[in-house]
Amino acid sequence: MSTATVPRVTTKPHPQVDDVTWTQLIEAVRQSGRYATRPEAEQVTRTVLSALGTHVTGDERVDLARALPGEAARLIAAQIPATHRLTAARFVDEVASRTPGATSATARWDVSSVLSALPPLIGDDLITRILTQLPPGYALLFGRADLTPVS
């Protein structure tokens, strides 16, 4: 009988991102937002993920950071969680305030370009959990239909 040790197989919570790098994330955003250059897409990604990092908390924040490439995870984790949740419109305005020369319309484009690139990378289950945590209106920013009833 052999005494060879069988390697233990572990799986990441979101195996679809095992091979996704920061460069691949930036390229996905560049294509999604049709940005002319990689540096432009990278700046937009940094701004939006930093803003998102203040509004996702708890297990969802931890799982989001784990599911993203290292540089993106650091952007999420480095933010101090907000004491209150912003509506989707106010979130877009916050991104606009962090982006020189941005308007609400250009910030909405930027936010949607970054957030809609996330579901294929981190999985629909985590996106659903994040959306459950955020106020109504964010689903559209993630490229999903917003089926939340208006109260």
Side-chain angles (χ1 to χ4, degrees):
M1 208 159 125
S2 172
T3 59
T5 305
V6 176
R8 195 173 118 184
V9 177
T10 60
T11 58
K12 292 179 78 174
H14 304 285
Q16 66 272 28
V17 297
D18 283 348
D19 297 324
V20 174
T21 65
W22 173 251
T23 302
Q24 290 167 320
L25 173 59
I26 298 306
E27 184 58 24
V29 170
R30 191 186 70 71
Q31 289 178 9
S32 173
R34 299 181 183 197
Y35 296 104
T37 66
R38 185 181 181 284
E40 182 181 12
E42 183 169 0
Q43 183 56 48
V44 166
T45 302
R46 288 180 181 284
T47 301
V48 172
L49 290 180
S50 293
L52 183 64
T54 64
H55 297 289
V56 176
T57 59
D59 290 341
E60 288 73 22
R61 178 184 172 106
V62 171
D63 290 346
L64 177 60
R66 283 183 185 155
L68 291 170
E71 183 66 21
R74 285 186 287 279
L75 289 169
I76 296 290
Q79 306 310 308
I80 297 171
T83 56
H84 65 285
R85 304 275 192 267
L86 295 178
T87 64
R90 291 288 302 136
F91 179 80
V92 168
D93 289 342
E94 180 181 313
V95 169
S97 74
R98 296 176 180 209
T99 308
T103 65
S104 288
T106 60
R108 182 167 169 55
W109 180 268
D110 292 344
V111 169
S112 292
S113 296
V114 174
L115 298 185
S116 67
L118 295 182
L121 302 177
I122 67 173
D124 286 332
D125 291 343
L126 181 54
I127 294 296
T128 299
R129 289 176 40 219
I130 290 169
L131 288 172
T132 300
Q133 185 181 93
L134 296 170
Y138 279 82
L140 292 172
L141 298 174
F142 281 90
R144 283 189 174 182
D146 192 351
L147 303 176
T148 306
V150 178
S151 36

